[in-house]
Amino acid sequence: MEPLEAIQKQLEEKIPGLKLTPEGAGFLVDRKDLLTVARFLKENEPYKMDYVSNLCGVDYKEYLESVAYLYSMEKKEGPILLKVRVSREDPKVPSLTPLFRGAEYQEREAYDMFGIIYEGHPDLRRILMWEEFVHYPLRKDYKPEDQDLLEDEKQPPEAIQGGK
Amino acid sequence: MEKAASALETQMLQVNIGPQHPSTHGVFRMNVTLDGETVVRLKPVMGYLHRNHEKIAEGASYLASMPFTDRLDYICSMTNNLGYAIAVEKLAGIEVPERAEYIRVIMAELTRLVNHTLLVGFLLNDLGAFFTPTLYAFREREKILDLFEAASGARMMCNYMRFGGVKNDFPTGFMEKLKEVIANYPRFLDEFERLLTENEILMGRCQNVGILPRKLAVNASVTGPMLRASGVDYDIRKVDGYSIYPRFKFRVPLGTVGDVYDRYYVRILEMRESVKILEQAVKEMPEGEVLSAKAKTGAKSPRTFRPPKGDAYGRIESPKGELGFYLVSDGTPNPYRYHVRPPSFVNLTILEDMCLGLKVADAIIILGSIDIVLGEVDR
């Protein structure tokens, strides 16, 4: 695989107005550019990144991050990492599912655990937690409810930080 | 209710298969809409075993999560350990002694034998051959579990790998037993195949059922034997060449049609390749340390183990597909973020597409051929 600098140069040349920040094994991408970059990497030689392997959220307290690892099954290369940072108040990230079916359940999981809203996802529902659950349990400010309290002693969910 | 597409006035029927049903391999539910016996809609519902594995790991030291990874895919605890160890070693830059690498490969391949043998047994269960093939499979699995017990002290929850090696060396007499198991395995596979591979019922039920086209398989991030049954040559042991896999000669079996039968047969062939890897590993295995001196202190006092800030993604070819661990360190003894990329969870994405237009009984064997373990799907 080409070194990251070369890929960055190539991407910025081909997609007008794109600004990438190198970050580890990949790039930090603005959310408005995510789909364009992913589609470019998927469809063009010599990348052919046709396989999204790992997709998950991370809560860095100041912002939420959605991480996607792209690999190429055709070229047996990779990974290229695409990270998108969004604020907690407006956690919207474009969905990769229209491009890669494999992102479908993983995005549902990231939504379930972090409350990242994947726009354009065909079926964004909770997947591991039950539907009535209102919190996002992997956010750092989530406090599990006290198991010792009786049902009528519990605080309403809105009072607990990290609630919807 | 929608109207069914027939001349008679009939209705679609909504059925929940599971969560308590022997064919769902655990607490898993398929919400199915049926037109007669034909599946027209299928939505998997999961999370019954959810315990937020990832949140628990954030509150524990790196090493403390090692025994917990056993409980992900409880049939393949050794490969779960290996995947986690590789991710942490990547994060912290730890070297592994050569003998330990051999031990790891041996354990990983034995796990692959266990997993595939059991899967074939359970697939036959789903086909209606109630527990006879499964007991043949269990008989062989016991022999390998005895080896696991001798080495790690536990049959299923092995907790055997450490960052920078494995917990302890093989005990005395282990190699003889191992060689015996390896030598006898092809004979068992022959016996198994004689019963199954050209069995008319098996062929009739499995061939051309649940076909997963190559392109869709790649697009849906399907990995493992299921992907290779669709004819995509992608094995992480070859692609990444992690551990010492590049040293061994083995082939990657591929399917042509991508149906349930191919998924069954690719697994049988993969077991034969695993036996080849085991034979080579046993022959070439060197003497030496199994845990480097530096890693030993880390294993004794886990709170002093603080990987540098950053993130790492380690992945291996587990028997079910790509098992990955994504770790973020903030320089403290606990991981800041710990994410598991479970192969069977991601492979389930495509379940509905494979079942549409087929009968309920086909949906059951298609689910069986995906090879899911709910401890891993739900985490």
Side-chain angles (χ1 to χ4, degrees), chain B residues 18 24 33 37 42 45 82 85 88 91 123 138 140 177 191 232 244 248 266 269 275 296 322 332 336 341 346 352 356:
Chain B
T24 54
T33 309
E37 262 196 78
L42 187 151
V45 183
L82 177 61
V88 174
L91 186 69
L123 181 64
F138 267 83
E140 290 311 304
K177 279 265 179 272
E191 181 195 22
V232 184
I244 47 165
F248 303 116
V266 159
L269 292 176
V275 172
K296 229 175 245 168
E322 174 180 338
T332 57
Y336 184 79
R341 188 254 189 231
V346 182
E352 183 179 17
L356 290 184

Side-chain angles (χ1 to χ4, degrees), chain A residues 51-54 57 59-60 69 71 76 83 99 101-102 105 109 113-114 127 129 137-140, chain B residues 44 46 50 52 54-55 58 219-221 223 233 311 313 315 322 328 336-337 339 341 349 353 379:
Chain A
Y51 164 48
V52 53
S53 149
N54 174 41
D59 180 4
Y60 284 102
Y69 274 80
Y71 283 85
K76 299 195 174 145
K83 287 183 176 178
L99 276 179
R101 263 302 291 284
Y105 281 16
E109 191 197 331
M113 294 293 143
F114 291 93
I127 189 164
M129 306 303 279
L138 274 175
R139 282 196 182 183
K140 291 283 174 186
Chain B
M46 52 196 106
H50 183 58
N52 223 336
E54 297 174 4
K55 187 90 178 174
E58 280 174 18
N219 195 254
S221 301
T223 43
D233 178 12
D311 60 351
Y313 179 62
R315 59 175 198 159
E322 174 180 338
V328 179
Y336 184 79
R337 171 89 170 99
H339 174 71
R341 188 254 189 231
T349 314
D353 299 59
R379 277 155 299 143

